Amino acid sequence: MITTVNKYLSLVKFSHTIFAMPFALTGFFIATIKTDASFSWQLFLLVVLCMVFARSAAMAFNRYLDADIDRKNPRTIQREIPRGVITEKNALIFVIVNCLLFMAATWFINFLCFLLSPVALLVVLGYSYTKRFTALCHLVLGLGLSLAPVGAYLAVTGHFAVLPVLLSILVLCWVAGFDIIYSLQDEEFDRSLALNSIPTWLGKAGALHFSEGLHVVAGALAVIIGLYGQFHWLYAIGALVFIIMLVSQHLLVKPNDLSRVNIAFMTTNGIASVVFAVFAIADMFIIG
């Protein structure tokens, strides 16, 4: 049983939940602290479950859809489906189960979230098709993760607001930017299979400049959110660390040196998301 669970946790790269979950929690606490809404442990758990189910479905579907591609790529040939650890049929069943669980969880949140749940699934699952026809696939991935903070806010309040939308745009730009950096590793392979990405479109140097532009916008939004949301010095510390982490990954990766891509991808962005969320939430709890 434990071995099977570990296989599926590996399939969906559960550790990568560190990217979107902190922003979902930030959106949740913006709703519970900066509005008249009250905190509910049941609602909190449902939001966390929605994050887990949606992300698990999206990641497993990506692995299912890309199985043939992963078998040809030396970097991905050791993934669970190419190795036969998990069959394509079982991966697809896992996707369907997580989609149903996600929609069921939204039903217990509020009717608006339930109505929007198919849209959310369309975005997060649809991303897996996009590299087959557009180099802007990274932005679609960013859009998928950007649903986390605004979705959590909707779960609490049942309506949209400017602050969580700004936070979602920040997530979109941040995620798309670091996904471009990560995809540099597959530039030659993707080109050989006519797959689309910013690196195959603009080359390594151009892709890094594109990523830098997205991260400049993300950094600027971190400042704007602090001002618009009337946050205080604790938030400012978190935003500063976030911006430093954005800058550091561009110092780590160069067009002619991709040896530190994984450090830039996992370490710096993991720190960025967690620190930003911890200090933003602490700012709301401690200072108000």
Side-chain angles (χ1 to χ4, degrees):
M1 179 64 179
I2 294 176
T3 302
T4 301
V5 170
N6 287 336
K7 287 177 183 178
Y8 282 95
L9 289 177
S10 178
L11 174 74
V12 301
K13 292 292 183 185
F14 191 76
S15 60
H16 291 186
T17 306
I18 197 173
F19 298 139
M21 185 67 80
F23 285 97
L25 298 181
T26 303
F28 180 87
F29 284 110
I30 285 174
T32 56
I33 297 174
K34 288 187 173 290
T35 73
D36 294 331
S38 58
F39 177 83
S40 163
W41 279 109
Q42 178 181 329
L43 188 57
F44 178 81
L45 178 60
L46 285 168
V47 168
V48 171
L49 288 175
C50 281
M51 283 294 302
V52 172
F53 295 146
R55 192 197 169 280
S56 296
M59 197 69 178
F61 186 67
N62 181 262
R63 294 293 191 257
Y64 164 78
L65 196 66
D66 285 359
D68 288 341
I69 296 172
D70 288 343
R71 290 187 183 101
K72 300 173 184 177
N73 189 341
R75 188 180 66 81
T76 60
I77 197 171
Q78 292 301 314
R79 286 176 175 171
E80 287 70 25
I81 296 178
R83 284 194 292 130
V85 173
I86 294 174
T87 66
E88 292 181 43
K89 177 184 176 181
N90 285 343
L92 185 57
I93 292 172
F94 182 78
V95 171
I96 294 170
V97 169
N98 274 278
C99 287
L100 293 174
L101 289 171
F102 170 73
M103 294 185 70
T106 62
W107 172 261
F108 290 102
I109 291 176
N110 58 52
F111 192 57
L112 177 61
C113 286
F114 178 70
L115 285 178
L116 293 175
S117 61
V119 178
L121 290 174
L122 180 65
V123 173
V124 299
L125 298 182
Y127 154 73
S128 296
Y129 287 100
T130 55
K131 65 182 175 183
R132 290 161 172 79
F133 60 86
T134 178
L136 301 180
C137 51
H138 316 279
L139 295 173
V140 181
L141 176 64
L143 177 63
L145 271 69
S146 76
L147 299 178
V150 73
Y153 186 91
L154 281 175
V156 177
T157 65
H159 61 78
F160 290 93
V162 173
L163 189 56
V165 170
L166 289 174
L167 188 60
S168 288
I169 298 172
L170 179 154
V171 172
L172 190 161
C173 294
W174 167 61
V175 170
F178 76 64
D179 188 59
I180 290 171
I181 294 174
Y182 189 71
S183 69
L184 290 169
Q185 302 172 99
D186 293 329
E187 180 198 357
E188 290 80 9
F189 175 81
D190 287 346
R191 189 174 283 115
S192 71
L193 266 64
L195 297 172
N196 297 282
S197 69
I198 296 297
T200 62
W201 177 32
L202 300 177
K204 289 183 174 65
L208 281 171
H209 289 315
F210 198 105
S211 174
E212 288 166 1
L214 288 169
H215 282 165
V216 166
V217 175
L221 282 168
V223 175
I224 292 169
I225 288 167
L227 296 173
Y228 182 84
Q230 298 182 326
F231 287 93
H232 307 89
W233 62 273
L234 279 172
Y235 174 89
I237 293 173
L240 178 61
V241 172
F242 180 78
I243 292 170
I244 290 172
M245 291 298 102
L246 293 182
V247 173
S248 67
Q249 59 192 289
H250 291 282
L251 296 176
L252 287 170
V253 179
K254 302 298 179 185
N256 58 351
D257 182 9
L258 304 181
S259 61
R260 293 179 287 183
V261 164
N262 285 325
I263 296 175
F265 174 71
M266 191 67 193
T267 306
T268 63
N269 289 301
I271 293 171
S273 61
V274 171
V275 171
F276 181 92
V278 166
F279 278 85
I281 294 169
D283 191 284
M284 291 184 281
F285 267 110
I286 297 172
I287 304 177

